[in-house]
Amino acid sequence: MKIFICDVCGHLEFNAIPDKCPVCFAEKDKFVQNDSIFKESSEKSPEAEIKHVPAVTVNKQCGLVPESPCVDIIVRVGKTMHPMEEKHFITFVDCYQNDAYIGRAMFTPLGVYPAACFHLKNAKGKITVVENCNIHGYWKSEAAL
Ligand SMILES: [Fe+2]
């Protein structure tokens, strides 16, 4: 799979470069291709997997949006919670449905845990969750809906 990285905000796009970054609106020339970005992280720090691979739960009975068939993607980084310290923290979690970006949770290091919930309108296909650690790079998980 082709992977393109926004040089401005770190957002990843799969398969093709968008006209503008959907997160920071940078122009398409800011994207650089690196198809092995996830492989690089896991090879650099193989022992770090348990704290970095996003743990994803699909909840098909959402309590927050009961008026529509809302499905929740609940994410924590990772199975063992990643530290959130000024020098070492999870900067964001991006969520994709069928390889198309649908939303981001951004974090500050001191006030929150590296966890998020995305409320899907349409519960079909494949979910990909990408997280970025300021030291250990990019990690991802996939889940079927
Ligand atoms: Fe880390």
Side-chain angles (χ1 to χ4, degrees):
M1 175 186 271
K2 288 183 182 167
I3 302 173
F4 301 94
I5 307 162
C6 175
D7 217 13
V8 177
C9 73
H11 170 69
L12 303 186
E13 281 284 323
F14 300 119
N15 301 316
I17 301 176
D19 286 338
K20 277 187 193 291
C21 175
V23 174
C24 73
F25 308 110
E27 300 292 335
K28 65 193 311 180
D29 65 356
K30 299 292 183 194
F31 279 84
V32 290
Q33 185 169 358
N34 182 348
D35 301 343
S36 55
I37 189 88
F38 297 113
K39 210 170 146 230
E40 284 172 15
S41 297
S42 60
E43 282 177 0
K44 218 184 270 174
S45 320
E47 76 293 345
E49 185 176 316
I50 196 158
K51 287 186 184 167
H52 289 86
V53 171
V56 178
T57 304
V58 178
N59 176 14
K60 298 207 168 176
Q61 289 183 316
C62 176
L64 190 64
V65 194
E67 56 271 54
S68 71
C70 168
V71 168
D72 300 357
I73 306 303
I74 301 163
V75 182
R76 58 171 277 169
V77 182
K79 205 180 219 175
T80 296
M81 186 73 80
H82 188 279
M84 291 297 269
E85 298 158 358
E86 259 173 299
K87 289 187 177 152
H88 182 202
F89 68 105
I90 302 304
T91 63
F92 65 77
V93 169
D94 278 354
C95 188
Y96 303 76
Q97 188 168 19
N98 300 322
D99 296 330
Y101 169 72
I102 56 172
R104 167 176 286 198
M106 280 187 83
F107 304 107
T108 57
L110 300 181
V112 289
Y113 292 113
C117 184
F118 299 92
H119 299 266
L120 301 187
K121 290 182 177 178
N122 177 356
K124 282 194 188 128
K126 177 186 79 172
I127 289 295
T128 305
V129 174
V130 172
E131 68 91 344
N132 177 262
C133 166
N134 69 326
I135 291 178
H136 298 103
Y138 290 90
W139 302 74
K140 75 164 176 173
S141 283
E142 291 181 347
L145 289 171

